[in-house]
Amino acid sequence: MNKEDIINEAKEARERAYTPYSRFKVGAALLTKDGELIKGCNIENASYGLTNCAERTALFKAVSEGKNDFAMMAVVADTDGPVSPCGACRQVIVEFCPPDMPVLLANMKGRVYETTVADLLPGAFTQEDLHGKK
């Protein structure tokens, strides 16, 4: 699966977003190293604090199904530039994905910014911080 395919899968996931409050739909597609694709969308809640972003939906869905070896993620929204993950999503991505994993940030106009997990959250708090190991 190439980068364009993953972005298109994220766009498809975006169509399932539940966004009655913000109307800001986001889709994510997470590729495992085995070639399996897990998609997620943002899911809002009237209490706002219980809203879950597309990136975390895809990651939590994958982990809950026993998948934890990831190769690439794409995130898509209808923004002027490539969409930017929120801080909570960046922290969760760092928890489950390798630092050098590519992350494709895209918009509906075809603009794409490719980065890595490490570049999304420099100086991230990790498991090693909890256990005093680096």
Side-chain angles (χ1 to χ4, degrees):
M1 181 167 282
N2 65 36
K3 294 174 184 176
E4 186 177 333
D5 293 337
I6 296 172
I7 290 169
N8 286 333
E9 294 289 341
K11 286 179 181 176
E12 186 178 304
R14 180 181 169 273
E15 294 305 313
R16 293 190 203 101
Y18 176 75
T19 60
Y21 311 106
S22 73
R23 307 217 184 280
F24 184 73
K25 295 182 174 189
V26 182
L30 181 63
L31 182 66
T32 69
K33 288 189 177 176
D34 294 339
E36 188 171 345
L37 193 73
I38 296 102
K39 296 187 271 189
C41 60
N42 54 329
I43 303 166
E44 294 182 343
N45 187 276
S47 71
Y48 290 168
L50 298 178
T51 294
N52 203 54
C53 299
E55 302 91 313
R56 284 182 283 144
T57 298
L59 275 164
F60 294 160
K61 183 176 170 184
V63 171
S64 73
E65 295 175 2
K67 298 164 183 63
N68 53 20
D69 202 11
F70 306 115
M72 187 180 303
M73 175 182 267
V75 186
V76 176
D78 190 12
T79 49
D80 286 339
V83 67
S84 180
C86 75
C89 287
R90 291 172 191 241
Q91 182 65 44
V92 171
I93 292 168
V94 165
E95 179 79 19
F96 293 108
C97 302
D100 61 343
M101 186 184 91
V103 180
L104 308 172
L105 307 174
N107 67 9
M108 298 302 288
K109 300 168 193 162
R111 289 191 58 198
V112 178
Y113 174 73
E114 183 172 341
T115 187
T116 64
V117 169
D119 287 341
L120 278 178
L121 191 60
F125 185 82
T126 66
Q127 293 178 1
E128 289 79 20
D129 294 311
L130 277 178
H131 303 296
K133 300 175 189 169
K134 279 280 178 184

